[in-house]
Amino acid sequence: MLKKLPDIVDFYSSIYGRYPFDAVGAIVDDAKNVGYSLETQTKPVFDRVPDETTLAHELSHMWYGDSVTLTQWPDIWLHEGFATWSEWIWSEHDGRKSAHQYFETLYNTPAQDTAFWTPPPGNPGTPVYLFNGTIYNRGGMTLQALREKVGDPAFFRIMRDWATQYRYGNVTTPQFIALAERDSGMNLQHFFDVWLYQPDKPTSW
């Protein structure tokens, strides 16, 4: 699937702004016992030949994670939620499952399934939950819900401005909220509270 790498980078550059570094590639190991990939700057490391989704996820970290980097670990959703949503928008762009369809599939998870919904991505609590599934899935859902709330023009302006205005810097969730409100012209305090900080399944935003 590495043959897709140039296309993915070109697509992300078109929506997130120019690629932040002067080299791009991948390192593929034969180390299946490792069990994960790592978004090392310019050349993500894979424990095996990655599938297209994994490749898209790790490449998006060049913008969100390696260029725009969290200040404190509890804001890890700014890396992983963004990379998860990036998987979805690449799939949508490629004519497959849309980001909305990914959102709907996950949102159909019952509210009683607290292991899916908790902890909320903006408040993971103890370090053991920093890379919990909610950080990825509910983090990605937060962005898709934001897209549908503010509309595509404002949403893609938010994503691009976040990647370009804070390039090579450290960021916080309150900074993202402020930028989203500025670019959309909307008060989004309730929206982000229910999606990022409340432990229950969001029902109104």
Side-chain angles (χ1 to χ4, degrees):
M1 278 301 174
L2 292 181
K3 66 182 180 181
K4 290 277 193 173
L5 190 152
D7 292 340
I8 295 172
V9 171
D10 285 348
F11 173 63
Y12 288 160
S13 297
S14 75
I15 59 173
Y16 299 152
R18 67 173 175 83
Y19 180 73
F21 306 110
D22 60 4
V24 65
I27 298 170
V28 178
D29 201 348
D30 182 17
K32 297 178 178 62
N33 58 316
V34 171
Y36 63 88
S37 302
L38 191 64
E39 61 270 21
T40 45
Q41 192 176 98
T42 74
K43 293 179 179 64
V45 176
F46 301 97
D47 65 345
R48 68 197 74 193
V49 176
D51 61 23
E52 191 171 329
T53 298
T54 303
L55 181 63
H57 181 105
E58 301 304 334
L59 287 173
S60 74
H61 278 308
M62 301 304 107
W63 285 264
Y64 306 115
D66 289 355
S67 173
V68 179
T69 307
L70 56 76
T71 300
Q72 297 182 325
W73 280 109
D75 283 332
I76 189 64
W77 87 276
L78 292 170
H79 295 197
E80 301 303 346
F82 279 62
T84 299
W85 186 83
S86 294
E87 300 170 18
W88 303 350
I89 196 63
W90 166 250
S91 171
E92 180 176 315
H93 169 76
D94 204 38
R96 292 175 287 119
K97 190 173 180 179
S98 71
H100 175 76
Q101 288 171 321
Y102 276 104
F103 176 92
E104 285 294 307
T105 298
L106 294 172
Y107 190 75
N108 284 334
T109 304
Q112 294 78 13
D113 188 350
T114 55
F116 178 85
W117 293 106
T118 305
N123 183 23
T126 65
V128 72
Y129 291 118
L130 284 178
F131 294 94
N132 189 272
T134 59
I135 308 304
Y136 294 73
N137 290 328
R138 193 167 156 179
M141 293 172 74
T142 298
L143 292 177
Q144 181 59 25
L146 178 64
R147 178 189 181 187
E148 296 182 12
K149 184 172 182 69
V150 304
D152 275 9
F155 176 76
F156 284 103
R157 184 163 59 248
I158 290 165
M159 296 295 283
R160 191 181 189 93
D161 284 351
W162 184 245
T164 56
Q165 293 180 21
Y166 291 99
R167 179 169 287 173
Y168 314 131
N170 297 96
V171 293
T172 65
T173 296
Q175 286 176 303
F176 179 70
I177 293 171
L179 184 144
E181 290 190 321
R182 184 200 72 190
D183 280 5
S184 68
M186 299 173 67
N187 183 326
L188 297 170
Q189 294 301 308
H190 173 70
F191 172 88
F192 282 112
D193 182 56
V194 298
W195 273 105
L196 293 179
Y197 298 110
Q198 296 304 317
D200 300 324
K201 178 179 180 177
T203 57
S204 174
W205 59 89

